[in-house]
Amino acid sequence: RLVWELRPAVKSDKGDAVRRVVSESKARSVVVIGDDLGDLPAFAAAAQFATEGHAALRIAVRSAEMPAPLLDHVDGVVEGPTGVRDFLELLIA
Protein backbone atom coordinates (compact mmCIF):
# COMPACT_ATOMS: atom_id res chain seq x y z
CA ARG A 1 0.00 0.00 0.00
CA LEU A 2 1.36 3.38 -0.99
CA VAL A 3 0.45 6.55 0.90
CA TRP A 4 1.07 10.07 -0.36
CA GLU A 5 0.91 13.17 1.82
CA LEU A 6 0.46 16.28 -0.30
CA ARG A 7 1.96 19.54 0.86
CA PRO A 8 1.73 22.98 -0.74
CA ALA A 9 4.91 24.46 -2.19
CA VAL A 10 5.19 27.11 0.55
CA LYS A 11 7.52 27.40 3.51
CA SER A 12 4.87 26.83 6.12
CA ASP A 13 3.78 23.94 8.30
CA LYS A 14 0.96 22.91 10.62
CA GLY A 15 2.60 24.80 13.48
CA ASP A 16 2.37 28.02 11.49
CA ALA A 17 -1.30 27.29 10.91
CA VAL A 18 -1.95 26.72 14.62
CA ARG A 19 -0.14 29.94 15.56
CA ARG A 20 -2.09 31.91 12.95
CA VAL A 21 -5.50 30.55 13.96
CA VAL A 22 -4.76 31.14 17.66
CA SER A 23 -3.53 34.67 16.99
CA GLU A 24 -6.38 35.67 14.69
CA SER A 25 -9.07 34.16 16.88
CA LYS A 26 -7.49 35.36 20.14
CA ALA A 27 -8.09 31.85 21.49
CA ARG A 28 -7.27 31.14 25.12
CA SER A 29 -7.14 27.40 24.61
CA VAL A 30 -6.23 25.02 21.81
CA VAL A 31 -6.52 21.30 21.10
CA VAL A 32 -4.29 19.76 18.44
CA ILE A 33 -5.07 16.24 17.24
CA GLY A 34 -2.72 14.39 14.92
CA ASP A 35 -1.51 11.03 13.73
CA ASP A 36 1.80 11.50 11.92
CA LEU A 37 5.18 13.23 12.11
CA GLY A 38 3.82 16.10 10.01
CA ASP A 39 1.80 17.05 13.09
CA LEU A 40 4.89 17.63 15.26
CA PRO A 41 5.10 21.36 14.40
CA ALA A 42 1.44 21.77 15.45
CA PHE A 43 2.14 19.94 18.72
CA ALA A 44 5.16 22.22 19.29
CA ALA A 45 3.02 25.31 18.66
CA ALA A 46 0.47 24.06 21.20
CA ALA A 47 3.25 23.42 23.73
CA GLN A 48 4.54 26.97 23.22
CA PHE A 49 1.02 28.32 23.68
CA ALA A 50 0.86 26.48 27.01
CA THR A 51 4.13 28.06 28.18
CA GLU A 52 2.48 31.43 27.59
CA GLY A 53 -0.14 30.60 30.21
CA HIS A 54 -2.92 29.31 27.97
CA ALA A 55 -4.62 25.92 27.93
CA ALA A 56 -3.29 23.52 25.33
CA LEU A 57 -3.85 19.84 24.75
CA ARG A 58 -1.98 17.64 22.26
CA ILE A 59 -3.70 14.38 21.30
CA ALA A 60 -2.33 11.55 19.14
CA VAL A 61 -4.62 9.28 17.16
CA ARG A 62 -3.44 5.69 17.49
CA SER A 63 -3.42 3.62 14.31
CA ALA A 64 -1.27 0.93 12.72
CA GLU A 65 0.59 3.65 10.79
CA MET A 66 1.16 6.05 13.71
CA PRO A 67 4.90 6.52 14.28
CA ALA A 68 5.96 5.67 17.86
CA PRO A 69 8.05 8.90 18.27
CA LEU A 70 4.81 10.88 18.09
CA LEU A 71 3.94 9.64 21.59
CA ASP A 72 6.85 11.65 23.03
CA HIS A 73 5.11 14.90 22.08
CA VAL A 74 1.51 14.43 23.21
CA ASP A 75 -0.58 14.71 26.35
CA GLY A 76 -2.95 11.85 25.48
CA VAL A 77 -3.89 9.23 22.92
CA VAL A 78 -7.24 8.25 21.41
CA GLU A 79 -8.00 5.11 19.43
CA GLY A 80 -8.58 5.86 15.76
CA PRO A 81 -11.19 8.15 14.22
CA THR A 82 -13.88 6.86 16.57
CA GLY A 83 -11.72 7.89 19.52
CA VAL A 84 -11.38 11.38 18.05
CA ARG A 85 -15.16 11.68 17.71
CA ASP A 86 -15.72 10.44 21.25
CA PHE A 87 -13.07 12.83 22.60
CA LEU A 88 -14.60 15.83 20.80
CA GLU A 89 -18.10 14.91 21.98
CA LEU A 90 -16.75 14.77 25.53
CA LEU A 91 -15.24 18.25 25.13
CA ILE A 92 -18.53 19.64 23.87
CA ALA A 93 -20.57 18.10 26.69
mmCIF file of all heavy atoms in Angstrom, residues 31-79:
data_model
loop_
_atom_site.group_PDB
_atom_site.id
_atom_site.type_symbol
_atom_site.label_atom_id
_atom_site.label_comp_id
_atom_site.label_asym_id
_atom_site.label_seq_id
_atom_site.Cartn_x
_atom_site.Cartn_y
_atom_site.Cartn_z
ATOM 1 N N VAL A 31 -6.676 22.748 21.130
ATOM 2 C CA VAL A 31 -6.518 21.301 21.102
ATOM 3 C C VAL A 31 -5.985 20.949 19.717
ATOM 4 O O VAL A 31 -6.555 21.356 18.710
ATOM 5 C CB VAL A 31 -7.856 20.562 21.343
ATOM 6 C CG1 VAL A 31 -7.666 19.055 21.187
ATOM 7 C CG2 VAL A 31 -8.428 20.903 22.704
ATOM 8 N N VAL A 32 -4.874 20.221 19.694
ATOM 9 C CA VAL A 32 -4.291 19.763 18.437
ATOM 10 C C VAL A 32 -4.357 18.237 18.435
ATOM 11 O O VAL A 32 -3.914 17.597 19.381
ATOM 12 C CB VAL A 32 -2.835 20.242 18.286
ATOM 13 C CG1 VAL A 32 -2.204 19.664 17.038
ATOM 14 C CG2 VAL A 32 -2.762 21.759 18.265
ATOM 15 N N ILE A 33 -4.923 17.691 17.369
ATOM 16 C CA ILE A 33 -5.068 16.241 17.241
ATOM 17 C C ILE A 33 -4.349 15.820 15.969
ATOM 18 O O ILE A 33 -4.580 16.393 14.908
ATOM 19 C CB ILE A 33 -6.551 15.839 17.178
ATOM 20 C CG1 ILE A 33 -7.281 16.315 18.430
ATOM 21 C CG2 ILE A 33 -6.694 14.331 17.007
ATOM 22 C CD1 ILE A 33 -8.785 16.124 18.393
ATOM 23 N N GLY A 34 -3.461 14.826 16.086
ATOM 24 C CA GLY A 34 -2.721 14.390 14.918
ATOM 25 C C GLY A 34 -2.316 12.944 14.971
ATOM 26 O O GLY A 34 -2.389 12.302 16.019
ATOM 27 N N ASP A 35 -1.855 12.446 13.811
ATOM 28 C CA ASP A 35 -1.513 11.033 13.733
ATOM 29 C C ASP A 35 -0.212 10.742 12.995
ATOM 30 O O ASP A 35 0.118 9.593 12.751
ATOM 31 C CB ASP A 35 -2.646 10.245 13.091
ATOM 32 C CG ASP A 35 -2.864 10.619 11.631
ATOM 33 O OD1 ASP A 35 -2.247 11.601 11.155
ATOM 34 O OD2 ASP A 35 -3.652 9.942 10.958
ATOM 35 N N ASP A 36 0.546 11.777 12.610
ATOM 36 C CA ASP A 36 1.798 11.504 11.919
ATOM 37 C C ASP A 36 2.848 12.556 12.253
ATOM 38 O O ASP A 36 2.563 13.536 12.940
ATOM 39 C CB ASP A 36 1.582 11.380 10.406
ATOM 40 C CG ASP A 36 1.064 12.659 9.762
ATOM 41 O OD1 ASP A 36 1.490 13.770 10.149
ATOM 42 O OD2 ASP A 36 0.224 12.559 8.854
ATOM 43 N N LEU A 37 4.076 12.327 11.771
ATOM 44 C CA LEU A 37 5.176 13.232 12.109
ATOM 45 C C LEU A 37 4.971 14.634 11.548
ATOM 46 O O LEU A 37 5.538 15.596 12.072
ATOM 47 C CB LEU A 37 6.502 12.640 11.628
ATOM 48 C CG LEU A 37 6.921 11.350 12.320
ATOM 49 C CD1 LEU A 37 8.231 10.822 11.733
ATOM 50 C CD2 LEU A 37 7.048 11.541 13.823
ATOM 51 N N GLY A 38 4.136 14.777 10.530
ATOM 52 C CA GLY A 38 3.816 16.101 10.008
ATOM 53 C C GLY A 38 3.054 16.959 11.004
ATOM 54 O O GLY A 38 2.968 18.177 10.853
ATOM 55 N N ASP A 39 2.528 16.320 12.054
ATOM 56 C CA ASP A 39 1.798 17.049 13.086
ATOM 57 C C ASP A 39 2.712 17.577 14.202
ATOM 58 O O ASP A 39 2.255 18.338 15.052
ATOM 59 C CB ASP A 39 0.709 16.153 13.693
ATOM 60 C CG ASP A 39 -0.342 15.793 12.665
ATOM 61 O OD1 ASP A 39 -0.841 16.711 11.989
ATOM 62 O OD2 ASP A 39 -0.650 14.603 12.521
ATOM 63 N N LEU A 40 3.982 17.182 14.202
ATOM 64 C CA LEU A 40 4.889 17.633 15.263
ATOM 65 C C LEU A 40 4.994 19.155 15.368
ATOM 66 O O LEU A 40 4.992 19.690 16.480
ATOM 67 C CB LEU A 40 6.273 17.001 15.088
ATOM 68 C CG LEU A 40 6.349 15.513 15.412
ATOM 69 C CD1 LEU A 40 7.754 14.988 15.114
ATOM 70 C CD2 LEU A 40 5.962 15.242 16.855
ATOM 71 N N PRO A 41 5.076 19.899 14.259
ATOM 72 C CA PRO A 41 5.103 21.355 14.401
ATOM 73 C C PRO A 41 3.843 21.923 15.066
ATOM 74 O O PRO A 41 3.914 22.887 15.827
ATOM 75 C CB PRO A 41 5.246 21.859 12.961
ATOM 76 C CG PRO A 41 5.911 20.732 12.238
ATOM 77 C CD PRO A 41 5.330 19.485 12.875
ATOM 78 N N ALA A 42 2.688 21.326 14.805
ATOM 79 C CA ALA A 42 1.445 21.771 15.446
ATOM 80 C C ALA A 42 1.483 21.468 16.936
ATOM 81 O O ALA A 42 1.063 22.283 17.760
ATOM 82 C CB ALA A 42 0.240 21.113 14.788
ATOM 83 N N PHE A 43 2.000 20.285 17.303
ATOM 84 C CA PHE A 43 2.143 19.945 18.721
ATOM 85 C C PHE A 43 3.106 20.910 19.405
ATOM 86 O O PHE A 43 2.875 21.329 20.536
ATOM 87 C CB PHE A 43 2.626 18.506 18.890
ATOM 88 C CG PHE A 43 1.602 17.450 18.529
ATOM 89 C CD1 PHE A 43 2.005 16.234 18.027
ATOM 90 C CD2 PHE A 43 0.248 17.669 18.699
ATOM 91 C CE1 PHE A 43 1.085 15.246 17.709
ATOM 92 C CE2 PHE A 43 -0.688 16.697 18.387
ATOM 93 C CZ PHE A 43 -0.270 15.478 17.887
ATOM 94 N N ALA A 44 4.197 21.276 18.719
ATOM 95 C CA ALA A 44 5.159 22.219 19.286
ATOM 96 C C ALA A 44 4.530 23.595 19.482
ATOM 97 O O ALA A 44 4.771 24.266 20.493
ATOM 98 C CB ALA A 44 6.395 22.316 18.391
ATOM 99 N N ALA A 45 3.709 24.028 18.532
ATOM 100 C CA ALA A 45 3.025 25.314 18.662
ATOM 101 C C ALA A 45 2.074 25.295 19.851
ATOM 102 O O ALA A 45 1.987 26.270 20.609
ATOM 103 C CB ALA A 45 2.268 25.652 17.378
ATOM 104 N N ALA A 46 1.369 24.184 20.051
ATOM 105 C CA ALA A 46 0.469 24.062 21.197
ATOM 106 C C ALA A 46 1.263 24.087 22.502
ATOM 107 O O ALA A 46 0.846 24.722 23.474
ATOM 108 C CB ALA A 46 -0.351 22.781 21.094
ATOM 109 N N ALA A 47 2.406 23.420 22.530
ATOM 110 C CA ALA A 47 3.249 23.421 23.731
ATOM 111 C C ALA A 47 3.727 24.832 24.043
ATOM 112 O O ALA A 47 3.748 25.260 25.207
ATOM 113 C CB ALA A 47 4.432 22.472 23.549
ATOM 114 N N GLN A 48 4.116 25.583 23.023
ATOM 115 C CA GLN A 48 4.541 26.972 23.225
ATOM 116 C C GLN A 48 3.387 27.808 23.760
ATOM 117 O O GLN A 48 3.563 28.631 24.653
ATOM 118 C CB GLN A 48 5.071 27.558 21.913
ATOM 119 C CG GLN A 48 5.470 29.019 22.012
ATOM 120 C CD GLN A 48 6.621 29.252 22.976
ATOM 121 O OE1 GLN A 48 7.561 28.465 23.010
ATOM 122 N NE2 GLN A 48 6.554 30.322 23.746
ATOM 123 N N PHE A 49 2.210 27.612 23.221
ATOM 124 C CA PHE A 49 1.016 28.318 23.675
ATOM 125 C C PHE A 49 0.801 28.063 25.169
ATOM 126 O O PHE A 49 0.480 28.981 25.923
ATOM 127 C CB PHE A 49 -0.177 27.825 22.849
ATOM 128 C CG PHE A 49 -1.429 28.631 22.977
ATOM 129 C CD1 PHE A 49 -1.463 29.976 22.663
ATOM 130 C CD2 PHE A 49 -2.613 28.025 23.385
ATOM 131 C CE1 PHE A 49 -2.639 30.704 22.757
ATOM 132 C CE2 PHE A 49 -3.789 28.745 23.490
ATOM 133 C CZ PHE A 49 -3.803 30.090 23.173
ATOM 134 N N ALA A 50 1.020 26.825 25.596
ATOM 135 C CA ALA A 50 0.861 26.476 27.014
ATOM 136 C C ALA A 50 1.883 27.196 27.884
ATOM 137 O O ALA A 50 1.558 27.620 28.997
ATOM 138 C CB ALA A 50 0.975 24.965 27.203
ATOM 139 N N THR A 51 3.109 27.361 27.381
ATOM 140 C CA THR A 51 4.129 28.064 28.178
ATOM 141 C C THR A 51 3.792 29.542 28.342
ATOM 142 O O THR A 51 4.326 30.192 29.227
ATOM 143 C CB THR A 51 5.541 27.929 27.569
ATOM 144 O OG1 THR A 51 5.587 28.607 26.319
ATOM 145 C CG2 THR A 51 5.941 26.483 27.414
ATOM 146 N N GLU A 52 2.909 30.030 27.503
ATOM 147 C CA GLU A 52 2.476 31.433 27.590
ATOM 148 C C GLU A 52 1.269 31.588 28.512
ATOM 149 O O GLU A 52 0.651 32.648 28.558
ATOM 150 C CB GLU A 52 2.161 31.951 26.187
ATOM 151 C CG GLU A 52 3.390 31.979 25.279
ATOM 152 C CD GLU A 52 3.056 32.184 23.825
ATOM 153 O OE1 GLU A 52 1.852 32.333 23.483
ATOM 154 O OE2 GLU A 52 3.990 32.209 23.013
ATOM 155 N N GLY A 53 0.926 30.525 29.224
ATOM 156 C CA GLY A 53 -0.144 30.599 30.210
ATOM 157 C C GLY A 53 -1.527 30.241 29.717
ATOM 158 O O GLY A 53 -2.519 30.469 30.412
ATOM 159 N N HIS A 54 -1.623 29.698 28.531
ATOM 160 C CA HIS A 54 -2.919 29.310 27.972
ATOM 161 C C HIS A 54 -3.115 27.805 28.105
ATOM 162 O O HIS A 54 -2.183 27.060 28.360
ATOM 163 C CB HIS A 54 -3.004 29.719 26.503
ATOM 164 C CG HIS A 54 -2.800 31.179 26.288
ATOM 165 N ND1 HIS A 54 -3.763 32.122 26.581
ATOM 166 C CD2 HIS A 54 -1.730 31.880 25.845
ATOM 167 C CE1 HIS A 54 -3.301 33.321 26.310
ATOM 168 N NE2 HIS A 54 -2.075 33.208 25.864
ATOM 169 N N ALA A 55 -4.328 27.351 27.892
ATOM 170 C CA ALA A 55 -4.621 25.922 27.933
ATOM 171 C C ALA A 55 -4.332 25.310 26.568
ATOM 172 O O ALA A 55 -4.748 25.844 25.547
ATOM 173 C CB ALA A 55 -6.084 25.701 28.307
ATOM 174 N N ALA A 56 -3.603 24.211 26.578
ATOM 175 C CA ALA A 56 -3.290 23.519 25.328
ATOM 176 C C ALA A 56 -3.272 22.022 25.584
ATOM 177 O O ALA A 56 -2.785 21.571 26.616
ATOM 178 C CB ALA A 56 -1.942 23.977 24.786
ATOM 179 N N LEU A 57 -3.804 21.285 24.640
ATOM 180 C CA LEU A 57 -3.853 19.839 24.751
ATOM 181 C C LEU A 57 -3.432 19.242 23.418
ATOM 182 O O LEU A 57 -3.934 19.649 22.362
ATOM 183 C CB LEU A 57 -5.275 19.404 25.104
ATOM 184 C CG LEU A 57 -5.502 17.984 25.541
ATOM 185 C CD1 LEU A 57 -4.634 17.618 26.747
ATOM 186 C CD2 LEU A 57 -6.968 17.790 25.893
ATOM 187 N N ARG A 58 -2.495 18.296 23.462
ATOM 188 C CA ARG A 58 -1.984 17.638 22.258
ATOM 189 C C ARG A 58 -2.388 16.165 22.317
ATOM 190 O O ARG A 58 -2.033 15.455 23.244
ATOM 191 C CB ARG A 58 -0.462 17.761 22.196
ATOM 192 C CG ARG A 58 -0.007 19.221 22.214
ATOM 193 C CD ARG A 58 1.447 19.363 22.553
ATOM 194 N NE ARG A 58 1.685 18.799 23.880
ATOM 195 C CZ ARG A 58 2.891 18.512 24.361
ATOM 196 N NH1 ARG A 58 3.965 18.728 23.651
ATOM 197 N NH2 ARG A 58 3.028 17.999 25.574
ATOM 198 N N ILE A 59 -3.146 15.731 21.311
ATOM 199 C CA ILE A 59 -3.703 14.384 21.296
ATOM 200 C C ILE A 59 -3.226 13.628 20.050
ATOM 201 O O ILE A 59 -3.350 14.129 18.932
ATOM 202 C CB ILE A 59 -5.250 14.426 21.297
ATOM 203 C CG1 ILE A 59 -5.773 15.202 22.510
ATOM 204 C CG2 ILE A 59 -5.831 13.025 21.220
ATOM 205 C CD1 ILE A 59 -5.475 14.545 23.843
ATOM 206 N N ALA A 60 -2.706 12.429 20.252
ATOM 207 C CA ALA A 60 -2.329 11.554 19.135
ATOM 208 C C ALA A 60 -3.472 10.588 18.848
ATOM 209 O O ALA A 60 -4.181 10.163 19.757
ATOM 210 C CB ALA A 60 -1.067 10.767 19.480
ATOM 211 N N VAL A 61 -3.613 10.247 17.590
ATOM 212 C CA VAL A 61 -4.616 9.281 17.156
ATOM 213 C C VAL A 61 -3.884 7.977 16.847
ATOM 214 O O VAL A 61 -3.104 7.899 15.895
ATOM 215 C CB VAL A 61 -5.376 9.769 15.906
ATOM 216 C CG1 VAL A 61 -6.451 8.766 15.520
ATOM 217 C CG2 VAL A 61 -5.957 11.142 16.139
ATOM 218 N N ARG A 62 -4.127 6.970 17.678
ATOM 219 C CA ARG A 62 -3.435 5.693 17.493
ATOM 220 C C ARG A 62 -3.997 4.961 16.275
ATOM 221 O O ARG A 62 -5.200 4.872 16.079
ATOM 222 C CB ARG A 62 -3.594 4.810 18.721
ATOM 223 C CG ARG A 62 -2.720 3.564 18.667
ATOM 224 C CD ARG A 62 -2.892 2.634 19.845
ATOM 225 N NE ARG A 62 -2.947 3.257 21.145
ATOM 226 C CZ ARG A 62 -1.890 3.595 21.903
ATOM 227 N NH1 ARG A 62 -0.685 3.392 21.447
ATOM 228 N NH2 ARG A 62 -2.071 4.137 23.089
ATOM 229 N N SER A 63 -3.076 4.446 15.457
ATOM 230 C CA SER A 63 -3.417 3.617 14.310
ATOM 231 C C SER A 63 -2.210 2.733 14.016
ATOM 232 O O SER A 63 -1.138 2.918 14.597
ATOM 233 C CB SER A 63 -3.740 4.487 13.082
ATOM 234 O OG SER A 63 -2.553 5.096 12.603
ATOM 235 N N ALA A 64 -2.379 1.811 13.098
ATOM 236 C CA ALA A 64 -1.271 0.933 12.723
ATOM 237 C C ALA A 64 -0.129 1.719 12.094
ATOM 238 O O ALA A 64 1.028 1.325 12.191
ATOM 239 C CB ALA A 64 -1.766 -0.142 11.759
ATOM 240 N N GLU A 65 -0.432 2.847 11.473
ATOM 241 C CA GLU A 65 0.586 3.647 10.792
ATOM 242 C C GLU A 65 1.207 4.726 11.679
ATOM 243 O O GLU A 65 2.172 5.366 11.293
ATOM 244 C CB GLU A 65 -0.012 4.336 9.555
ATOM 245 C CG GLU A 65 -0.470 3.378 8.475
ATOM 246 C CD GLU A 65 -1.900 2.904 8.723
ATOM 247 O OE1 GLU A 65 -2.676 3.610 9.387
ATOM 248 O OE2 GLU A 65 -2.237 1.814 8.243
ATOM 249 N N MET A 66 0.664 4.967 12.859
ATOM 250 C CA MET A 66 1.162 6.045 13.714
ATOM 251 C C MET A 66 2.609 5.766 14.118
ATOM 252 O O MET A 66 2.912 4.715 14.653
ATOM 253 C CB MET A 66 0.306 6.189 14.969
ATOM 254 C CG MET A 66 0.725 7.366 15.831
ATOM 255 S SD MET A 66 -0.051 7.352 17.468
ATOM 256 C CE MET A 66 0.994 6.165 18.298
ATOM 257 N N PRO A 67 3.517 6.723 13.881
ATOM 258 C CA PRO A 67 4.901 6.520 14.283
ATOM 259 C C PRO A 67 5.056 6.632 15.802
ATOM 260 O O PRO A 67 4.526 7.559 16.417
ATOM 261 C CB PRO A 67 5.658 7.630 13.559
ATOM 262 C CG PRO A 67 4.634 8.667 13.250
ATOM 263 C CD PRO A 67 3.314 7.961 13.155
ATOM 264 N N ALA A 68 5.778 5.692 16.399
ATOM 265 C CA ALA A 68 5.963 5.667 17.855
ATOM 266 C C ALA A 68 6.548 6.972 18.411
ATOM 267 O O ALA A 68 6.146 7.402 19.490
ATOM 268 C CB ALA A 68 6.828 4.475 18.242
ATOM 269 N N PRO A 69 7.489 7.652 17.714
ATOM 270 C CA PRO A 69 8.050 8.896 18.274
ATOM 271 C C PRO A 69 7.012 9.987 18.538
ATOM 272 O O PRO A 69 7.237 10.885 19.336
ATOM 273 C CB PRO A 69 9.054 9.355 17.215
ATOM 274 C CG PRO A 69 9.421 8.117 16.480
ATOM 275 C CD PRO A 69 8.179 7.265 16.490
ATOM 276 N N LEU A 70 5.871 9.897 17.883
ATOM 277 C CA LEU A 70 4.811 10.882 18.091
ATOM 278 C C LEU A 70 4.370 10.911 19.552
ATOM 279 O O LEU A 70 4.040 11.965 20.098
ATOM 280 C CB LEU A 70 3.624 10.550 17.184
ATOM 281 C CG LEU A 70 2.588 11.640 16.957
ATOM 282 C CD1 LEU A 70 3.188 12.780 16.159
ATOM 283 C CD2 LEU A 70 1.395 11.073 16.228
ATOM 284 N N LEU A 71 4.408 9.754 20.205
ATOM 285 C CA LEU A 71 3.942 9.640 21.588
ATOM 286 C C LEU A 71 4.776 10.471 22.558
ATOM 287 O O LEU A 71 4.306 10.805 23.643
ATOM 288 C CB LEU A 71 3.925 8.182 22.027
ATOM 289 C CG LEU A 71 2.938 7.298 21.266
ATOM 290 C CD1 LEU A 71 3.100 5.845 21.693
ATOM 291 C CD2 LEU A 71 1.517 7.779 21.468
ATOM 292 N N ASP A 72 5.995 10.832 22.177
ATOM 293 C CA ASP A 72 6.853 11.646 23.033
ATOM 294 C C ASP A 72 6.424 13.113 23.072
ATOM 295 O O ASP A 72 6.977 13.889 23.842
ATOM 296 C CB ASP A 72 8.309 11.567 22.564
ATOM 297 C CG ASP A 72 8.892 10.175 22.685
ATOM 298 O OD1 ASP A 72 8.426 9.408 23.563
ATOM 299 O OD2 ASP A 72 9.801 9.847 21.899
ATOM 300 N N HIS A 73 5.473 13.493 22.237
ATOM 301 C CA HIS A 73 5.107 14.904 22.082
ATOM 302 C C HIS A 73 3.644 15.192 22.364
ATOM 303 O O HIS A 73 3.146 16.259 21.992
ATOM 304 C CB HIS A 73 5.450 15.361 20.663
ATOM 305 C CG HIS A 73 6.881 15.159 20.313
ATOM 306 N ND1 HIS A 73 7.854 16.070 20.641
ATOM 307 C CD2 HIS A 73 7.512 14.128 19.704
ATOM 308 C CE1 HIS A 73 9.022 15.614 20.237
ATOM 309 N NE2 HIS A 73 8.844 14.437 19.663
ATOM 310 N N VAL A 74 2.938 14.247 22.996
ATOM 311 C CA VAL A 74 1.506 14.434 23.207
ATOM 312 C C VAL A 74 1.130 14.297 24.675
ATOM 313 O O VAL A 74 1.900 13.769 25.477
ATOM 314 C CB VAL A 74 0.673 13.444 22.356
ATOM 315 C CG1 VAL A 74 0.941 13.665 20.875
ATOM 316 C CG2 VAL A 74 0.944 12.003 22.732
ATOM 317 N N ASP A 75 -0.047 14.793 24.990
ATOM 318 C CA ASP A 75 -0.582 14.706 26.350
ATOM 319 C C ASP A 75 -1.508 13.508 26.518
ATOM 320 O O ASP A 75 -1.777 13.088 27.638
ATOM 321 C CB ASP A 75 -1.349 15.988 26.697
ATOM 322 C CG ASP A 75 -0.473 17.217 26.546
ATOM 323 O OD1 ASP A 75 0.600 17.259 27.166
ATOM 324 O OD2 ASP A 75 -0.865 18.122 25.779
ATOM 325 N N GLY A 76 -2.017 12.975 25.413
ATOM 326 C CA GLY A 76 -2.946 11.852 25.484
ATOM 327 C C GLY A 76 -3.085 11.181 24.136
ATOM 328 O O GLY A 76 -2.619 11.696 23.118
ATOM 329 N N VAL A 77 -3.716 10.029 24.138
ATOM 330 C CA VAL A 77 -3.894 9.229 22.924
ATOM 331 C C VAL A 77 -5.346 8.768 22.855
ATOM 332 O O VAL A 77 -5.925 8.379 23.867
ATOM 333 C CB VAL A 77 -2.965 7.989 22.943
ATOM 334 C CG1 VAL A 77 -3.168 7.141 21.701
ATOM 335 C CG2 VAL A 77 -1.508 8.409 23.084
ATOM 336 N N VAL A 78 -5.914 8.826 21.653
ATOM 337 C CA VAL A 78 -7.239 8.255 21.408
ATOM 338 C C VAL A 78 -7.081 7.154 20.378
ATOM 339 O O VAL A 78 -6.102 7.108 19.634
ATOM 340 C CB VAL A 78 -8.268 9.315 20.933
ATOM 341 C CG1 VAL A 78 -8.501 10.364 22.011
ATOM 342 C CG2 VAL A 78 -7.834 9.960 19.633
ATOM 343 N N GLU A 79 -8.056 6.255 20.336
ATOM 344 C CA GLU A 79 -7.997 5.107 19.434
ATOM 345 C C GLU A 79 -8.744 5.392 18.135
ATOM 346 O O GLU A 79 -9.969 5.378 18.105
ATOM 347 C CB GLU A 79 -8.591 3.873 20.120
ATOM 348 C CG GLU A 79 -7.864 3.448 21.377
ATOM 349 C CD GLU A 79 -6.432 2.999 21.120
ATOM 350 O OE1 GLU A 79 -6.152 2.417 20.056
ATOM 351 O OE2 GLU A 79 -5.584 3.243 21.997
#
